[in-house]
Amino acid sequence: SQQGEEDPQALSIQEGENATMNCSYKTSINNLQWYRQNSGRGLVHLILIRSNEREKHSGRLRVTLDTSKKSSSLLITASRAADTASYFCATDAGYGGATNKLIFGTGTLLAVQP
Amino acid sequence: GAVVSQHPSRVICKSGTSVKIECRSLDFQATTMFWYRQFPKKSLMLMATSNEGSKATYEQGVEKDKFLINHASLTLSTLTVTSAHPEDSSFYICSARYLQDQPQHFGDGTRLSIL
Protein backbone atom coordinates (compact mmCIF):
# COMPACT_ATOMS: atom_id res chain seq x y z
CA SER A 1 0.00 0.00 0.00
CA GLN A 2 1.23 3.48 -0.77
CA GLN A 3 -0.71 4.99 2.08
CA GLY A 4 1.32 6.75 4.68
CA GLU A 5 0.94 6.23 8.35
CA GLU A 6 0.45 8.76 11.06
CA ASP A 7 1.02 8.51 14.73
CA PRO A 8 -0.41 8.77 17.14
CA GLN A 9 -3.80 7.61 15.89
CA ALA A 10 -5.41 9.68 18.61
CA LEU A 11 -4.11 12.42 20.86
CA SER A 12 -5.82 14.13 23.78
CA ILE A 13 -4.29 17.23 25.34
CA GLN A 14 -5.26 20.22 27.44
CA GLU A 15 -5.80 23.66 26.01
CA GLY A 16 -2.56 25.59 25.87
CA GLU A 17 -0.39 22.52 25.39
CA ASN A 18 1.46 21.72 22.19
CA ALA A 19 0.37 18.88 19.92
CA THR A 20 2.79 16.95 17.72
CA MET A 21 1.71 14.56 15.00
CA ASN A 22 4.01 12.47 12.86
CA CYS A 23 3.66 11.14 9.37
CA SER A 24 5.71 8.51 7.56
CA TYR A 25 5.49 7.71 3.88
CA LYS A 26 6.95 5.20 1.48
CA THR A 27 7.80 6.78 -1.87
CA SER A 28 9.84 9.75 -3.08
CA ILE A 29 7.77 12.89 -3.04
CA ASN A 30 7.44 16.24 -4.74
CA ASN A 31 5.72 17.80 -1.75
CA LEU A 32 3.89 16.89 1.43
CA GLN A 33 0.72 18.57 2.61
CA TRP A 34 -1.18 18.66 5.87
CA TYR A 35 -4.93 18.91 6.02
CA ARG A 36 -7.46 19.21 8.80
CA GLN A 37 -10.94 17.68 8.85
CA ASN A 38 -13.69 18.53 11.27
CA SER A 39 -16.12 15.69 11.90
CA GLY A 40 -18.40 15.09 8.93
CA ARG A 41 -16.88 17.88 6.86
CA GLY A 42 -14.46 18.29 4.01
CA LEU A 43 -10.76 18.89 4.39
CA VAL A 44 -9.06 22.20 4.89
CA HIS A 45 -5.55 22.71 3.57
CA LEU A 46 -3.12 23.81 6.29
CA ILE A 47 0.37 23.85 4.86
CA LEU A 48 2.44 22.53 1.95
CA ILE A 49 6.13 21.75 2.26
CA ARG A 50 8.23 20.93 -0.79
CA SER A 51 10.81 18.18 -0.94
CA ASN A 52 13.67 20.68 -0.88
CA GLU A 53 12.36 22.38 2.28
CA ARG A 54 13.05 21.20 5.79
CA GLU A 55 10.79 23.40 7.88
CA LYS A 56 7.85 25.67 7.37
CA HIS A 57 5.75 27.85 9.66
CA SER A 58 2.23 29.18 9.42
CA GLY A 59 0.82 30.92 12.47
CA ARG A 60 0.75 28.35 15.28
CA LEU A 61 1.69 25.54 12.90
CA ARG A 62 5.18 24.24 12.32
CA VAL A 63 5.90 21.49 9.83
CA THR A 64 9.17 19.65 9.38
CA LEU A 65 10.17 17.31 6.60
CA ASP A 66 12.97 14.74 6.62
CA THR A 67 13.17 13.16 3.19
CA SER A 68 15.99 10.83 4.24
CA LYS A 69 13.69 9.27 6.82
CA LYS A 70 10.56 9.76 4.72
CA SER A 71 8.82 11.47 7.59
CA SER A 72 7.16 14.72 8.53
CA SER A 73 5.79 16.24 11.69
CA LEU A 74 3.11 18.80 12.41
CA LEU A 75 3.37 20.83 15.58
CA ILE A 76 0.46 22.92 16.81
CA THR A 77 1.53 25.29 19.54
CA ALA A 78 -0.69 26.72 22.27
CA SER A 79 -3.58 24.50 21.27
CA ARG A 80 -7.19 25.60 21.54
CA ALA A 81 -10.41 23.65 21.89
CA ALA A 82 -11.22 24.74 18.32
CA ASP A 83 -8.19 22.77 17.10
CA THR A 84 -10.07 19.55 17.85
CA ALA A 85 -10.23 17.70 14.52
CA SER A 86 -8.60 14.95 12.47
CA TYR A 87 -5.30 15.83 10.85
CA PHE A 88 -4.04 14.12 7.71
CA CYS A 89 -0.77 14.27 5.90
CA ALA A 90 -0.82 13.74 2.15
CA THR A 91 2.04 13.14 -0.22
CA ASP A 92 2.29 14.23 -3.81
CA ALA A 93 4.66 11.92 -5.60
CA GLY A 94 4.84 14.28 -8.55
CA TYR A 95 4.65 11.77 -11.34
CA GLY A 96 4.19 14.64 -13.70
CA GLY A 97 1.38 15.88 -15.89
CA ALA A 98 -1.97 17.13 -14.75
CA THR A 99 -2.82 14.01 -12.80
CA ASN A 100 -0.55 14.46 -9.79
CA LYS A 101 -2.50 12.88 -7.01
CA LEU A 102 -2.33 12.90 -3.24
CA ILE A 103 -1.89 9.82 -1.11
CA PHE A 104 -3.40 10.43 2.31
CA GLY A 105 -2.10 9.12 5.60
CA THR A 106 -4.23 7.34 8.14
CA GLY A 107 -4.84 10.49 10.18
CA THR A 108 -4.50 11.62 13.78
CA LEU A 109 -7.60 12.46 15.79
CA LEU A 110 -6.74 15.39 18.05
CA ALA A 111 -8.93 16.27 21.01
CA VAL A 112 -8.13 19.47 22.89
CA GLN A 113 -9.81 19.61 26.27
CA PRO A 114 -10.86 23.09 27.45
CA GLY B 1 -9.56 31.59 -0.16
CA ALA B 2 -10.56 29.09 -2.82
CA VAL B 3 -14.05 27.73 -2.38
CA VAL B 4 -15.43 24.42 -3.56
CA SER B 5 -19.12 23.72 -3.24
CA GLN B 6 -20.40 20.15 -3.11
CA HIS B 7 -24.06 19.30 -3.38
CA PRO B 8 -26.08 17.64 -1.97
CA SER B 9 -24.65 17.31 1.52
CA ARG B 10 -26.76 14.30 2.36
CA VAL B 11 -28.73 11.77 0.35
CA ILE B 12 -30.91 8.95 1.59
CA CYS B 13 -32.46 6.78 -1.08
CA LYS B 14 -33.63 3.31 -1.93
CA SER B 15 -31.46 0.58 -3.36
CA GLY B 16 -31.31 0.72 -7.16
CA THR B 17 -31.50 4.50 -7.38
CA SER B 18 -28.85 6.48 -9.23
CA VAL B 19 -27.47 9.45 -7.36
CA LYS B 20 -25.66 12.46 -8.82
CA ILE B 21 -23.25 14.55 -6.75
CA GLU B 22 -22.03 17.91 -8.00
CA CYS B 23 -18.74 19.59 -7.25
CA ARG B 24 -18.21 23.21 -8.22
CA SER B 25 -15.21 25.48 -7.89
CA LEU B 26 -16.71 28.88 -7.15
CA ASP B 27 -13.84 31.30 -7.56
CA PHE B 28 -11.17 29.56 -9.61
CA GLN B 29 -10.85 27.35 -12.65
CA ALA B 30 -10.32 23.76 -11.64
CA THR B 31 -8.25 22.06 -14.29
CA THR B 32 -8.28 18.91 -12.21
CA MET B 33 -10.90 17.55 -9.84
CA PHE B 34 -10.63 14.53 -7.60
CA TRP B 35 -13.26 12.26 -6.07
CA TYR B 36 -12.63 10.48 -2.79
CA ARG B 37 -14.50 8.04 -0.64
CA GLN B 38 -14.14 7.95 3.12
CA PHE B 39 -15.35 5.27 5.51
CA PRO B 40 -16.05 6.10 9.17
CA LYS B 41 -12.90 6.98 11.08
CA LYS B 42 -10.77 6.14 8.07
CA SER B 43 -8.62 8.06 5.66
CA LEU B 44 -9.60 9.29 2.22
CA MET B 45 -9.35 6.82 -0.64
CA LEU B 46 -8.96 8.35 -4.08
CA MET B 47 -11.53 7.01 -6.50
CA ALA B 48 -10.73 8.95 -9.65
CA THR B 49 -9.06 12.00 -11.11
CA SER B 50 -10.82 14.06 -13.74
CA ASN B 51 -9.43 16.68 -16.06
CA GLU B 52 -11.72 19.10 -17.81
CA GLY B 53 -12.80 17.84 -21.19
CA SER B 54 -11.25 14.38 -20.92
CA LYS B 55 -12.14 11.01 -19.48
CA ALA B 56 -11.57 10.40 -15.81
CA THR B 57 -8.70 8.25 -14.61
CA TYR B 58 -9.96 5.67 -12.15
CA GLU B 59 -7.98 4.08 -9.39
CA GLN B 60 -7.52 0.34 -9.32
CA GLY B 61 -10.58 -1.44 -8.04
CA VAL B 62 -13.03 1.39 -8.74
CA GLU B 63 -15.75 0.41 -11.21
CA LYS B 64 -16.00 2.91 -14.04
CA ASP B 65 -19.54 1.90 -14.93
CA LYS B 66 -20.64 2.17 -11.32
CA PHE B 67 -19.15 5.56 -10.60
CA LEU B 68 -19.63 7.81 -13.62
CA ILE B 69 -17.58 10.99 -13.59
CA ASN B 70 -18.08 13.96 -15.85
CA HIS B 71 -15.93 17.09 -15.90
CA ALA B 72 -17.63 19.15 -18.57
CA SER B 73 -16.34 22.57 -17.57
CA LEU B 74 -13.53 24.15 -15.60
CA THR B 75 -15.87 24.74 -12.66
CA LEU B 76 -18.03 21.63 -12.52
CA SER B 77 -17.51 17.91 -12.07
CA THR B 78 -20.20 15.37 -11.28
CA LEU B 79 -20.09 11.90 -9.79
CA THR B 80 -23.04 9.62 -10.49
CA VAL B 81 -23.40 6.49 -8.41
CA THR B 82 -25.44 4.25 -10.66
CA SER B 83 -27.90 1.69 -9.32
CA ALA B 84 -26.68 2.32 -5.78
CA HIS B 85 -26.73 -0.48 -3.23
CA PRO B 86 -26.24 -0.42 0.55
CA GLU B 87 -22.53 -1.18 0.18
CA ASP B 88 -22.17 2.11 -1.71
CA SER B 89 -23.19 4.00 1.41
CA SER B 90 -20.28 6.22 2.35
CA PHE B 91 -18.99 9.76 2.61
CA TYR B 92 -17.95 11.07 -0.80
CA ILE B 93 -15.70 14.13 -1.03
CA CYS B 94 -14.57 16.08 -4.05
CA SER B 95 -11.62 18.39 -4.40
CA ALA B 96 -10.41 20.78 -7.04
CA ARG B 97 -7.06 22.11 -8.03
CA TYR B 98 -5.99 24.84 -10.42
CA LEU B 99 -2.41 23.82 -11.11
CA GLN B 100 -0.36 20.77 -10.30
CA ASP B 101 1.93 21.16 -7.31
CA GLN B 102 -0.70 23.29 -5.59
CA PRO B 103 -3.01 22.37 -2.72
CA GLN B 104 -6.36 20.77 -3.36
CA HIS B 105 -9.47 22.57 -2.17
CA PHE B 106 -12.17 20.32 -0.80
CA GLY B 107 -15.94 20.36 -0.82
CA ASP B 108 -17.81 19.61 2.40
CA GLY B 109 -18.65 16.08 1.32
CA THR B 110 -21.83 14.14 0.61
CA ARG B 111 -23.07 11.50 2.99
CA LEU B 112 -24.81 8.84 0.92
CA SER B 113 -27.06 6.34 2.65
CA ILE B 114 -28.66 3.59 0.60
CA LEU B 115 -31.51 1.75 2.27
Side-chain angles (χ1 to χ4, degrees):
Chain A
S1 166
Q2 295 181 15
Q3 191 172 48
E5 293 189 0
E6 294 180 58
D7 84 277
Q9 287 188 321
L11 179 62
S12 182
I13 59 175
Q14 295 294 124
E15 230 175 2
E17 294 179 339
N18 296 343
T20 299
M21 290 160 265
N22 302 295
C23 166
S24 61
Y25 57 91
K26 299 180 181 179
T27 66
S28 297
I29 62 170
N30 186 40
N31 65 64
L32 184 144
Q33 303 174 31
W34 283 90
Y35 289 82
R36 164 199 168 121
Q37 183 181 32
N38 284 25
S39 180
R41 303 294 297 275
L43 277 69
V44 175
H45 177 257
L46 297 176
I47 200 162
L48 181 154
I49 186 165
R50 302 189 190 284
S51 60
N52 61 353
E53 298 176 307
R54 290 298 167 258
E55 189 170 311
K56 207 161 183 180
H57 296 254
S58 176
R60 292 184 297 113
L61 306 181
R62 173 176 164 250
V63 168
T64 62
L65 178 65
D66 187 336
T67 53
S68 67
K69 296 181 179 178
K70 290 187 169 58
S71 68
S72 174
S73 68
L74 169 67
L75 168 67
I76 303 175
T77 60
S79 64
R80 305 166 182 168
D83 294 328
T84 294
S86 291
Y87 292 83
F88 294 93
C89 68
T91 53
D92 179 348
Y95 292 118
T99 55
N100 284 12
K101 59 186 183 182
L102 292 178
I103 305 298
F104 280 84
T106 50
T108 293
L109 177 59
L110 173 66
V112 181
Q113 310 297 332
Chain B
V3 178
V4 173
S5 173
Q6 186 172 341
H7 177 81
S9 59
R10 186 174 182 94
V11 180
I12 302 172
C13 58
K14 293 181 180 179
S15 186
T17 306
S18 290
V19 178
K20 179 184 280 190
I21 303 170
E22 291 189 348
C23 182
R24 293 180 184 272
S25 58
L26 298 184
D27 55 356
F28 68 102
Q29 293 184 325
T31 53
T32 308
M33 285 186 168
F34 303 85
W35 287 95
Y36 296 87
R37 184 171 180 176
Q38 186 178 33
F39 292 100
K41 298 184 179 180
K42 296 292 185 183
S43 187
L44 278 72
M45 299 301 296
L46 179 65
M47 298 174 65
T49 302
S50 79
N51 294 299
E52 184 264 339
S54 62
K55 289 184 178 180
T57 301
Y58 289 80
E59 294 299 301
Q60 192 174 9
V62 178
E63 298 176 59
K64 299 179 183 182
D65 295 332
K66 176 74 172 178
F67 299 100
L68 300 178
I69 291 171
N70 182 276
H71 192 165
S73 77
L74 283 171
T75 58
L76 174 64
S77 176
T78 60
L79 166 68
T80 301
V81 183
T82 60
S83 188
H85 291 284
E87 59 266 28
D88 299 323
S89 298
S90 192
F91 191 57
Y92 293 88
I93 311 176
C94 73
S95 71
R97 183 186 68 197
Y98 174 50
L99 294 175
Q100 61 178 299
D101 202 33
Q102 286 189 352
Q104 294 181 19
H105 302 282
F106 285 79
D108 268 345
T110 297
R111 183 156 307 282
L112 177 62
S113 300
I114 307 298
L115 306 176

